[in-house]
Amino acid sequence: MTKILFVCHGNICRSPMAEFVMKDLVRQKGLADAYEIASAATSREELGNGVYPPARRKLAEHGISCAGHAARQMTRRDYVHFDRILGMDHANIRNIQHLAGGDPDGKITLLLDHAGRPGQEVADPWYTGDFDAAWDDILAGCEGLLAELTAAGVE
């Protein structure tokens, strides 16, 4: 089983969107049992909160439910547990590395590195209000990651 963790600042917009998009993609391919997919925050600001309403609406537009999500902070145990840890922007990557105590196993990457857009950040709708741009980035990253994993025989 491949274990994937998506991480953003508060775990109420981008990372839960990525979590539920990826869950939907693997379900559509009949691979749900081969993956454990979750999300977390680098901060403690939104702990326990659900998905931000505009992000929830964007997911719902695509028939994806995010029911039951509660924001949580990433821990060092997550670094050990998960095979892939994907940050949404460069600040997330720095904070993930801090929380994990480094990245000795090379597990931490930007989501858009997997969409053929190395070094680019997922648009942050918290500041822009543009959930369409965030959706497009997240979908491209998740599709690219899944393509990489399946091409490598990870199913």
Side-chain angles (χ1 to χ4, degrees), residues 8-82:
C8 70
H9 181 78
N11 193 218
I12 61 168
C13 289
R14 294 176 295 171
S15 62
M17 286 176 71
E19 172 189 350
F20 291 102
V21 165
M22 191 69 166
K23 285 178 175 178
D24 189 60
L25 291 173
V26 299
R27 181 193 55 76
Q28 289 176 35
K29 292 196 175 287
L31 300 173
D33 292 341
Y35 292 91
E36 177 183 331
I37 302 165
S39 64
T42 60
S43 76
R44 301 180 54 79
E45 294 170 22
E46 299 288 346
L47 295 184
N49 289 338
V51 175
Y52 188 54
R56 187 171 54 240
R57 285 191 295 273
K58 180 52 64 181
L59 289 167
E61 283 176 24
H62 296 276
I64 300 172
S65 171
C66 57
H69 174 79
R72 71 173 189 89
Q73 187 178 32
M74 183 188 159
T75 67
R76 283 184 192 236
R77 283 188 301 265
D78 288 323
Y79 186 83
V80 173
H81 180 76
F82 287 94

